[in-house]
Amino acid sequence: MATKYHVKRGDQVVVIAGSHKGKSGKILEVLPAKDRAVVEGVAMIKRHLKKSQEHPNGTISEREGSVHISNLMKQADFDGSKRAKKTA
């Protein structure tokens, strides 16, 4: 049975808890086996790569890590809630 989540791929979301709280981005991928989602520009991970033909000196590549689904909220819901800082 597939699990149903409050967010899906392509949704604009805000991280509401954890070390990346306040960051926002688009969901690139949902990982139902781990109850996690990959969000564009959030939870960046650095990966050190060995020397290869593409990178003769080796390189450090950055990619998105995953964030637990419970720490995400749709941008529209966030903007309409008391969590968003109201600027008057």
Side-chain angles (χ1 to χ4, degrees):
M1 169 95 189
T3 309
K4 185 155 170 56
Y5 296 114
H6 63 286
V7 291
K8 63 180 190 283
R9 188 171 59 207
D11 283 352
Q12 195 68 28
V13 294
V14 178
V15 180
I16 58 170
S19 58
H20 304 287
K21 183 177 180 175
K23 293 183 184 177
S24 64
K26 187 172 75 169
I27 294 186
L28 302 175
E29 185 182 4
V30 176
L31 309 167
K34 297 182 176 181
D35 288 337
R36 297 177 84 80
V38 177
V39 182
E40 189 175 43
V42 176
M44 298 305 283
I45 294 171
K46 289 189 184 216
R47 174 93 195 275
H48 296 256
L49 299 174
K50 284 166 100 176
K51 295 178 183 178
S52 66
Q53 284 187 328
E54 297 94 47
H55 308 288
N57 294 327
T59 187
I60 300 173
S61 70
E62 271 195 299
R63 64 180 182 87
E64 287 89 358
S66 62
V67 178
H68 198 270
I69 262 328
S70 67
N71 295 339
L72 300 176
M73 181 186 255
K74 282 187 181 177
Q75 182 84 52
D77 295 344
F78 181 79
D79 291 341
S81 72
K82 287 187 255 178
R83 290 180 195 271
K85 301 270 191 278
K86 301 278 193 271
T87 53

